[in-house]
């Protein structure tokens, strides 16, 4: 005979043997938008957790197949709207690899510079919004102040404020404006001079440390099992960064400046510390790129392309170390002007799946702290 569960109504709750299903989202302040978390609770403790995705799905991978190689860039830079430059960079690297195309040295160094400025912009958003989710409102105002400083130079060079559309197959859209490198250097110095807000105001806050230390520990085994990457993986001691381990752009020449920061604890605090340390290092990398660009002789910043660009038949995979982790494009061409297939491997999609292992056994009160420390963008999950 199947056992039954009785729930007594009117005494303030259910019987101890009854689990409760709680939906967080898909419209909830703690889920960064339209993510839904289906939680099964035993009292205040989470028994099972299931991320339910797809509420924002826009079919970008199928749209890639109906656009030519110039047009797909505008689609690619939107899935992680905080990493737009890095997203479009991966696409053009894949197409250039298919074409066997070498881009001018000036374009290589400028791309590296802009990718690192984009990394700082991405990280600043999470450095400000994560304390906000834990009840600390002040840091987000500082984060937006620093973002505005960098957004101004990014907008000046590209014409776009968030979706830059500055990469082109063969290089960049156009050369840097006159005097821009000096203004970019000033912006980097200004942001660096005020980063102590996050070093002291956030990391030095005992409430923040109390809410994050020892909470949501992610093991290296889980990182590998779910393909977690980026700051989250490095916060669990997984020492892997494509910029160092499989260099692209100018990162091979920046080994002395590039520092891959790791922590062994794997908790929420460790992930935040890695993100903050990476922001400091990205500013150093930006300065190193500006120094190198100043030494380069005048020259082209892109390759001349035919009116109709067709990639030869074949396939390739290009991956980059995006701000949130590994971002990959698998490009299949049948020799036409549009991709036959362009599969996107986004960082947030893999990272968020680890919640099924991370949340069970934790308290509901710690759920927001753990979720926010995964540093994801919902569009990067749903694609």
């Amino acid at each position: 005979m199947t056992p039954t569960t009785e729930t007594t109504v009117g005494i303030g709750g259910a019987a101890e043997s009854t689990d409760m299903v709680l939906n967080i989202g898909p419209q909830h302040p703690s889920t960064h938008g339209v993510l839904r978390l289906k939680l099964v609770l035993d009292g205040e403790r989470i028994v099972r957790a299931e991320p339910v995705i797809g509420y924002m799905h826009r079919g970008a991978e199928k749209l890639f197949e109906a656009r030519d190689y110039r047009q797909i860039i505008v689609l690619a830079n939107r899935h992680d709207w905080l990493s737009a430059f890095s997203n479009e960079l991966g696409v053009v690297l894949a197409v250039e690899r298919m074409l066997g195309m070498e881009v001018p040295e000036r374009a290589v160094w400028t791309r590296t510079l802009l990718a690192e400025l984009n990394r700082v912009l991405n990280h600043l958003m999470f450095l400000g919004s994560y304390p906000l989710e834990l009840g600390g409102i002040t840091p987000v105002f500082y984060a937006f102040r620093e973002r505005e400083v960098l957004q101004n130079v990014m907008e000046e060079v590209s014409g776009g404020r968030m979706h830059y559309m500055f990469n082109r197959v063969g290089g960049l859209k156009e050369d840097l404006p006159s005097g821009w490198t000096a203004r970019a250097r000033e912006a980097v110095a200004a942001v660096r001079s005020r980063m102590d807000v996050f070093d002291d105001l956030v990391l030095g806050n005992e409430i923040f440390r109390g809410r994050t230390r020892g909470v949501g520990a992610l093991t290296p085994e889980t990182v590998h099992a779910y393909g977690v990457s980026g700051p989250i993986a490095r916060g669990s001691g997984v020492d892997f960064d494509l910029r160092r381990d499989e260099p692209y752009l100018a990162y091979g020449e920046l080994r002395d400046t590039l520092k891959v920061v790791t922590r062994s604890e794997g908790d929420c605090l460790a992930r935040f510390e890695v993100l903050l340390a990476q922001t400091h290092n990205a500013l150093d990398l930006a300065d190193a790129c500006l120094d190198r660009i100043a030494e380069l002789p005048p020259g082209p910043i892109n390759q001349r392309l035919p009116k109709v660009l067709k990639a030869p038949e074949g396939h390739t995979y290009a991956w980059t170390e995006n701000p949130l982790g590994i971002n990959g494009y698998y490009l299949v061409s049948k020799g036409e002007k549009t991709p036959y297939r362009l599969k996107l491997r986004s960082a947030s999609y893999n990272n968020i799946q680890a919640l099924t292992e991370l949340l069970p056994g934790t308290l509901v009160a710690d759920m927001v702290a753990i979720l926010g420390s995964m540093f994801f963008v919902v569009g990067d999950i749903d694609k």
Side-chain angles (χ1 to χ4, degrees):
M1 182 177 177
T2 304
T4 59
T5 300
E6 293 183 1
T7 301
T8 305
V9 180
I11 61 171
E16 290 184 1
S17 59
T18 304
D19 290 333
M20 179 173 71
V21 177
L22 179 66
N23 283 290
I24 306 292
Q27 299 288 351
H28 192 280
S30 72
T31 61
H32 296 251
V34 283
L35 174 71
R36 175 184 166 205
L37 275 181
K38 184 178 178 182
L39 306 178
V40 178
L41 306 179
D42 180 6
E44 287 292 309
R45 200 163 292 279
I46 298 171
V47 178
R48 290 194 305 277
E50 178 188 357
V52 183
I53 65 174
Y55 291 92
M56 219 174 148
H57 181 60
R58 60 190 178 88
E61 291 180 345
K62 295 303 291 182
L63 291 173
F64 286 147
E65 299 171 13
R67 305 291 190 276
D68 67 34
Y69 288 107
R70 291 179 174 89
Q71 295 169 332
I72 59 176
I73 300 172
V74 74
L75 296 171
N77 69 17
R78 281 163 166 74
H79 56 86
D80 174 3
W81 44 80
L82 297 177
S83 309
F85 186 87
S86 301
N87 298 340
E88 59 189 57
L89 178 63
V91 168
V92 297
L93 288 176
V95 179
E96 288 163 2
R97 186 174 295 177
M98 289 285 285
L99 293 167
M101 179 182 291
E102 293 286 337
V103 303
E105 187 179 16
R106 191 171 185 80
V108 171
W109 280 97
T110 306
R111 280 177 171 178
T112 310
L113 166 63
L114 297 176
E116 290 307 311
L117 292 179
N118 191 199
R119 192 180 309 276
V120 177
L121 284 168
N122 175 289
H123 290 358
L124 281 171
M125 178 63 79
F126 290 106
L127 292 174
S129 66
Y130 185 46
L132 177 64
E133 291 170 356
L134 300 180
I137 192 172
T138 306
V140 75
F141 296 119
Y142 289 106
F144 270 91
R145 180 185 65 180
E146 312 315 334
R147 276 176 54 85
E148 285 299 304
V149 173
L150 293 178
Q151 288 281 40
N152 288 338
V153 295
M154 293 291 283
E155 183 178 19
E156 182 187 355
V157 73
S158 67
R161 194 150 186 87
M162 282 189 69
H163 304 300
Y164 307 106
M165 275 302 294
F166 197 53
N167 278 287
R168 295 292 186 273
V169 176
L172 293 167
K173 177 186 173 186
E174 56 199 9
D175 208 345
L176 303 175
S178 176
W180 181 86
T181 53
R183 291 187 288 276
R185 196 182 293 276
E186 290 172 3
V188 170
V191 172
R192 181 187 286 110
S193 69
R194 297 193 289 254
M195 285 299 293
D196 60 336
V197 167
F198 304 100
D199 294 323
D200 301 333
L201 183 65
V202 180
L203 274 184
N205 185 290
E206 62 183 82
I207 298 175
F208 178 83
R209 298 183 76 86
R211 290 290 307 275
T212 55
R213 186 194 285 117
V215 175
L218 185 66
T219 65
E221 292 75 21
T222 304
V223 166
H224 293 304
Y226 283 87
V228 174
S229 60
I232 301 170
R234 290 189 281 274
S236 295
V238 178
D239 188 7
F240 181 72
D241 190 312
L242 281 174
R243 297 173 296 170
R244 181 199 62 194
D245 301 326
E246 194 173 310
Y248 57 98
L249 294 181
Y251 289 113
E253 299 182 48
L254 292 168
R255 290 184 183 275
D256 293 338
T257 308
L258 175 63
K259 292 180 174 59
V260 179
V261 182
T262 61
R263 293 287 186 275
S264 59
E265 296 83 0
D267 56 10
C268 297
L269 181 60
R271 291 189 279 274
F272 187 87
E273 287 177 340
V274 169
L275 199 75
L276 180 55
Q278 280 193 181
T279 309
H280 283 287
N281 187 233
L283 292 169
D284 294 339
L285 288 167
D287 269 340
C289 290
L290 285 165
D291 291 340
R292 185 72 176 92
I293 291 170
E295 299 170 355
L296 293 176
I301 203 158
N302 51 39
Q303 296 274 24
R304 293 182 65 87
L305 299 176
K307 278 191 174 182
V308 179
L309 180 64
K310 295 183 178 181
E313 188 169 348
H315 60 93
T316 190
Y317 183 71
W319 56 348
T320 55
E321 187 68 41
N322 270 31
L324 298 182
I326 292 174
N327 189 79
Y329 293 100
Y330 178 58
L331 171 63
V332 181
S333 171
K334 290 294 183 74
E336 301 297 330
K337 65 178 183 179
T338 61
Y340 176 74
R341 185 80 171 90
L342 188 58
K343 170 66 179 172
L344 166 60
R345 187 267 190 221
S346 64
S348 297
Y349 180 84
N350 285 70
N351 291 354
I352 209 67
Q353 305 308 317
L355 288 171
T356 58
E357 300 275 352
L358 201 52
L359 287 177
T362 63
L363 297 172
V364 176
D366 290 328
M367 183 272 299
V368 175
I370 296 170
L371 185 64
S373 74
M374 299 306 282
F375 309 131
F376 62 90
V377 170
V378 177
D380 203 40
I381 302 171
D382 287 351
K383 299 178 277 186

